[in-house]
C-alpha cells in the first residue's frame, strides 16, 4: 500500500485513516516492535479513545493491525475509553494471566469513564473519572482481554488527592530487577505531580513515592515515563524521567512540550541530580513533540523514543485528511555528559537510502540553489564558523522562494533554529507561523545539523543530537527546491551528505 495524499508523511508513521494521538504500549517482543496508539476509529477528531495498533520488524516499515482495545460500547454508547498506558512482558507470569506454556503481555492503561456507573467488578465510578486498569494478551500482543473481574486495579488517587479523580492518568510500567517488583509511574496532571506505585503481580498496587512539581510547570503534566540509560556509554546507569507538559513548552512555543529529569531511582523513590532540577530540560525544542514514550523489551543501552508530532494548541486542526497526526521518527537515546550535566542525545532511525556527499570550499553570502530536490529528504550539514553569522539549508522551497522552511545555525546566539513563518498553510492557528530555536555549542570547531524533511514535517538533530526540533509544515505540493544559505558573509568548508528518503509503505 502506498499513501500519496496531500501532506501524507512518507517515512513517519501515520494511521491509514482517522485520528491518532499519544503512542502507547511500545514494546519489542519476540522479534516484533509493537506500536499502539491513542486512536479514534470513527473519525478524524479526538474521541472514542481506543488503542490502535501497528507492528514492525525494523522500526522503519510498519504494518497496520486491527484495533487492539476498542472503546467499550463503541460507537453509540461508550462507557469506557482506553486512555494512554504501556505494556510489559510478564516473563515469569507474576500476574497469573499466563498459561503453562505462554507468558502474557500485560498492558496498564487509564480507564476514562464518560458516565457514572457500577462496573462488572462491583466498583463504582463517577462521570469522567479516570482510574488505572490492566489487560493481557496471550497471542503476543495481537488480541487483548481486559481484567473485568477486578478492573480498575487502581480506582482512586491517594486520599489526600481525592479531588483529582477526574485527572489521574497515564501509567508507565516496567520491571525493576534489583527489587524484583513492577513499578508504575503515573500523573496527577493538574498538580504537576507523579505518583510511583509498585506491585509484585501487576494486579495489586501500592503507592511508594511522589515526584514533582519541578522545572517546567506552566501546564498540566501528562504521559510520564521512566527508564535507565548508561552514562557516556559506560557502566554507570542513570534514570531518566520523561514528562509531557501542556501548555508551557519551550520558549517561543505557545503550547505543549516534553521535558526530562535525570537522577537515581532505588525502586521506590526518584532522586533527581541537583543540576537536573535547575531549569527545564527539553527533550525537543521544537513545537511538535508530545506524549513521548520509549520501547520496553530492549537492552538497557537500546532506548528508542517516539513522540506524537504535533502541539496540543492545534493538534485537532491540522489540515490533513483522511488521517490526523503523525509520530516522530523513532529516536535512539543516549545520555552524555555535556557541560558537566547528563544530557539526552538522540539519533533518528531511518531505512537505507542512497546518500551522496558534496564539499564546498566556500559558499557566498546569500542563497545557493542545489541540484538536489525533493519532499522527503535526509540532509546532514557540517561546517565551521567563518565569516557568516548564520548558515543553513532552505527546504520545501517554491521556485520563487515565497514559500520555504529554513533550518540553520546562528553563530552569535549559538542556536540551531527552524523558521516556518512562510512554510505553507498555517491559518489554522495564529501562532503556527513562527521560528523556534535550541541552544547548541560547536563541537571541535564545527556545527553538525541533520535535517529530516517529510511531506509535512521537518525534524532537526543538532550536534550529537543534544538539540532537536520537530516542526510540522504544510507546504504546497510543488515546493521541493533546496538551497543552502549563508547570512552576513560567506561560509567556508561546508560538507553535505544527503539522500532522498523512500516511502516506508511500498
Ligand atoms: C495526552 C493525553 C493523555 C491521555 C490521552 C487521552 O495527549 O491527554 O494524558 O491519556 O491523551 O487521549
Amino acid at each position: 500500500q502506498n499513501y500519496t495524499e496531500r501532506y501524507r508523511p512518507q517515512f513517519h508513521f501515520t494511521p491509514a485513516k482517522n485520528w491518532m494521538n499519544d503512542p502507547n504500549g511500545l514494546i519489542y517482543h519476540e522479534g516484533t516492535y509493537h506500536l499502539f496508539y491513542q486512536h479514534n476509529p470513527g473519525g478524524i477528531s479526538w474521541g472514542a479513545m481506543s488503542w490502535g495498533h501497528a507492528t514492525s520488524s525494523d522500526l522503519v516499515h510498519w504494518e497496520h493491525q486491527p484495533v487492539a482495545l476498542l472503546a467499550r460500547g463503541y460507537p453509540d454508547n461508550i462507557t469506557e475509553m482506553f486512555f494512554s498506558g504501556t505494556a510489559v512482558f510478564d516473563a515469569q507470569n507474576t500476574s497469573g494471566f499466563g498459561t503453562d506454556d505462554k507468558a502474557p503481555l500485560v498492558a496498564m492503561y487509564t480507564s476514562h469513564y464518560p458516565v457514572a456507573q457500577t462496573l462488572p467488578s462491583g466498583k463504582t465510578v463517577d462521570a469522567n473519572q479516570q482510574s488505572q486498569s490492566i489487560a493481557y494478551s496471550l497471542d503476543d500482543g495481537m488480541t487483548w482481554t481486559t481484567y473485568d473481574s477486578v478492573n480498575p486495579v487502581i480506582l482512586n488517587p491517594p486520599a489526600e488527592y481525592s479531588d483529582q479523580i477526574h485527572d489521574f492518568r497515564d501509567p508507565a510500567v516496567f520491571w525493576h530487577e534489583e527489587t524484583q517488583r513492577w513499578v508504575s509511574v503515573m500523573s496527577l496532571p493538574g498538580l504537576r505531580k507523579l505518583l510511583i506505585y509498585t506491585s509484585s503481580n501487576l494486579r495489586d498496587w501500592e503507592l511508594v513515592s511522589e515526584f514533582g512539581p519541578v522545572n517546567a510547570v506552566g501546564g498540566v503534566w501528562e504521559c510520564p515515563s521512566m527508564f535507565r540509560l548508561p552514562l557516556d556509554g559506560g557502566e554507570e546507569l542513570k534514570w531518566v524521567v520523561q514528562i509531557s507538559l501542556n501548555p508551557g513548552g519551550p520558549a517561543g512555543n505557545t503550547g505543549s512540550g516534553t521535558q526530562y529529569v535525570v537522577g537515581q531511582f532505588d525502586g521506590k523513590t526518584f532522586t533527581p541530580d541537583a543540576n537536573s532540577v535547575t531549569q527545564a530540560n527539553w527533550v525537543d525544542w521544537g513545537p511538535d513533540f508530545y506524549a513521548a514514550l520509549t520501547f520496553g523489551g530492549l537492552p538497557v543501552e537500546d532506548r528508542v523514543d517516539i513522540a506524537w508530532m504535533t502541539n496540543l494548541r492545534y493538534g485537532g486542526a491540522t489540515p490533513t485528511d483522511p488521517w490526523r497526526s503523525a509520530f516522530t521518527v523513532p529516536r535512539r537515546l543516549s545520555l552524555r555528559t555535556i557541560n558537566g550535566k547528563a544530557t539526552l542525545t538522540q539519533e533518528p532511525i531511518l531505512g537505507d537510502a542512497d546518500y551522496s556527499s558534496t564539499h564546498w570550499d566556500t559558499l557566498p553570502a546569500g542563497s545557493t540553489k542545489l541540484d538536489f530536490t525533493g519532499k522527503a529528504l535526509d540532509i546532514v550539514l557540517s561546517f565551521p564558523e567563518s565569516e557568516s553569522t548564520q548558515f543553513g539549508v532552505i527546504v520545501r522551497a517554491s521556485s520563487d522562494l515565497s514559500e520555504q522552511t529554513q533550518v540553520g545555525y546562528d553563530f552569535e546566539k549559538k542556536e540551531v533554529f527552524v523558521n516556518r513563518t512562510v512554510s505553507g498553510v498555517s491559518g489554522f492557528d495564529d501562532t503556527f507561523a513562527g521560528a523556534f530555536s535550541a541552544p547548541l555549542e560547536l563541537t571541535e570547531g564545527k556545527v553538525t545539523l541533520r535535517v529530516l524533511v517529510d511531506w509535512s514535517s521537518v525534524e532537526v538533530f543538532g550536534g550529537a543530537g543534544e538539540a532537536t526540533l520537530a516542526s510540522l509544515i504544510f507546504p504546497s505540493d510543488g515546493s521541493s527546491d533546496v538551497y543552502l544559505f549563508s547570512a552576513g558573509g560567506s561560509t567556508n568548508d561546508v560538507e553535505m551528505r544527503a539522500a532522498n528518503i523512500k516511502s516506508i509503505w511500498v
Side-chain angles (χ1 to χ4, degrees):
Q1 176 152 23
N2 199 1
Y3 295 112
T4 55
E5 304 98 331
R6 191 173 189 203
Y7 305 134
R8 175 71 89 166
Q10 297 296 293
F11 65 97
H12 288 82
F13 179 81
T14 49
K17 58 178 181 159
N18 293 329
W19 169 267
M20 174 175 83
N21 55 296
D22 318 349
N24 293 155
L26 303 184
I27 189 166
Y28 181 69
H29 178 63
E30 300 281 345
T32 299
Y33 294 92
H34 291 267
L35 173 61
F36 300 93
Y37 53 90
Q38 287 288 283
H39 185 46
N40 178 357
I44 203 171
S45 299
W46 188 93
M49 293 323 297
S50 303
W51 278 31
H53 186 200
T55 52
S56 171
S57 59
D58 61 3
L59 284 174
V60 175
H61 303 90
W62 295 95
E63 201 178 320
H64 293 298
Q65 302 292 351
V67 168
L69 290 165
L70 181 65
R72 202 181 297 267
Y74 177 86
D76 296 328
N77 182 29
I78 294 178
T79 57
E80 180 186 6
M81 296 200 228
F82 297 94
F83 273 19
S84 285
T86 52
V88 290
F89 177 48
D90 182 14
Q92 301 172 51
N93 194 21
T94 62
S95 63
F97 294 131
T99 58
D100 285 348
D101 47 316
K102 193 77 187 168
L105 287 171
V106 177
M108 187 171 190
Y109 55 89
T110 297
S111 294
H112 176 91
Y113 304 103
V115 288
Q117 59 196 286
T118 299
L119 298 164
S121 60
K123 296 172 183 168
T124 57
V125 290
D126 203 17
N128 295 317
Q129 173 155 358
Q130 296 179 347
S131 306
Q132 321 313 321
S133 296
I134 57 177
Y136 61 91
S137 171
L138 297 176
D139 59 1
D140 299 315
M142 300 314 288
T143 61
W144 294 81
T145 305
T146 50
Y147 184 35
D148 291 345
S149 59
V150 174
N151 274 339
V153 292
I154 304 178
L155 176 65
N156 291 316
E160 59 181 310
Y161 306 123
S162 58
D163 57 344
Q164 300 296 311
I165 60 166
H166 301 123
D167 273 297
F168 174 41
R169 59 182 178 268
D170 304 341
V173 57
F174 59 92
W175 176 250
H176 189 256
E177 190 64 35
E178 292 83 342
T179 54
Q180 293 283 298
R181 285 182 76 82
W182 298 103
V183 177
S184 187
V185 49
M186 59 209 78
S187 157
L188 291 171
L191 302 182
R192 291 96 170 131
K193 220 179 235 308
L194 307 185
L195 300 178
I196 299 176
Y197 287 73
T198 68
S199 172
S200 62
N201 59 8
L202 292 160
R203 302 177 184 218
D204 304 302
W205 292 93
E206 178 194 350
L207 178 70
V208 292
S209 71
E210 300 178 3
F211 177 68
V214 296
N215 293 349
V217 293
V220 301
W221 280 16
E222 300 183 314
C223 302
S225 59
M226 253 178 102
F227 51 86
R228 228 182 322 208
L229 277 174
L231 182 63
D232 298 315
E235 295 289 300
E236 187 190 350
L237 300 176
K238 280 194 168 279
W239 286 85
V240 179
V241 173
Q242 182 168 244
I243 309 160
S244 289
L245 172 81
N246 172 51
N253 164 352
T254 51
S256 50
T258 304
Q259 62 172 331
Y260 69 98
V261 184
V262 179
Q264 299 300 335
F265 179 63
D266 61 6
K268 289 190 167 174
T269 306
F270 176 75
T271 309
D273 288 357
N275 67 3
S276 202
V277 283
T278 51
Q279 61 181 53
N281 311 297
W282 299 111
V283 182
D284 188 287
W285 294 74
D288 297 306
F289 190 95
Y290 199 67
L293 195 65
T294 64
F295 281 87
L298 293 168
V300 69
E301 67 281 2
D302 201 359
R303 265 292 150 188
V304 178
D305 214 19
I306 290 184
W308 180 31
M309 189 161 56
T310 195
N311 194 300
L312 277 163
R313 221 191 122 88
Y314 46 72
T318 48
T320 59
D321 184 46
W323 82 99
R324 189 175 274 130
S325 293
F327 286 153
T328 62
V329 285
R331 300 174 175 196
R332 186 158 283 117
L333 302 180
S334 306
L335 203 54
R336 301 191 198 194
T337 307
I338 298 178
N339 295 327
K341 187 165 160 177
T343 306
L344 273 188
T345 63
Q346 304 171 49
E347 193 193 338
I349 297 171
L350 294 185
D352 294 338
D354 295 327
Y355 287 87
S356 56
S357 297
T358 318
H359 177 266
W360 290 267
D361 289 333
T362 187
L363 277 157
S367 306
T368 304
K369 189 169 187 294
L370 302 184
D371 290 336
F372 176 68
T373 64
K375 301 194 295 174
L377 308 169
D378 182 5
I379 302 171
V380 187
L381 287 171
S382 144
F383 47 93
E385 183 161 14
S386 46
E387 251 176 69
S388 58
T389 52
Q390 290 185 343
F391 182 78
V393 63
I394 294 171
V395 298
R396 300 304 312 265
S398 58
S399 52
D400 63 357
L401 276 171
S402 63
E403 191 173 284
Q404 54 165 280
T405 300
Q406 273 190 12
V407 178
Y409 188 73
D410 187 311
F411 289 101
E412 286 165 356
K413 294 184 181 157
K414 292 196 185 313
E415 283 177 354
V416 48
F417 62 88
V418 175
N419 185 330
R420 66 174 182 189
T421 47
V422 291
S423 59
V425 168
S426 65
F428 54 87
D429 178 76
D430 59 6
T431 64
F432 186 87
F436 309 91
S437 59
L440 179 67
E441 300 283 336
L442 277 65
T443 306
E444 289 164 9
K446 289 205 170 187
V447 177
T448 302
L449 300 181
R450 185 165 184 185
V451 185
L452 306 183
V453 180
D454 204 344
W455 285 18
S456 50
S457 64
V458 171
E459 272 178 279
V460 185
F461 298 79
E466 66 270 35
T468 68
L469 298 116
S471 302
L472 294 177
I473 51 172
F474 298 100
S476 306
D477 209 36
S479 297
S480 59
D481 287 347
V482 181
Y483 291 76
L484 297 178
F485 70 92
S486 188
S490 58
T491 305
N492 299 330
D493 194 18
V494 174
E495 287 277 349
M496 183 177 93
R497 196 171 162 266
N500 285 277
I501 303 298
K502 294 185 287 274
S503 168
I504 60 173
W505 300 108
V506 285

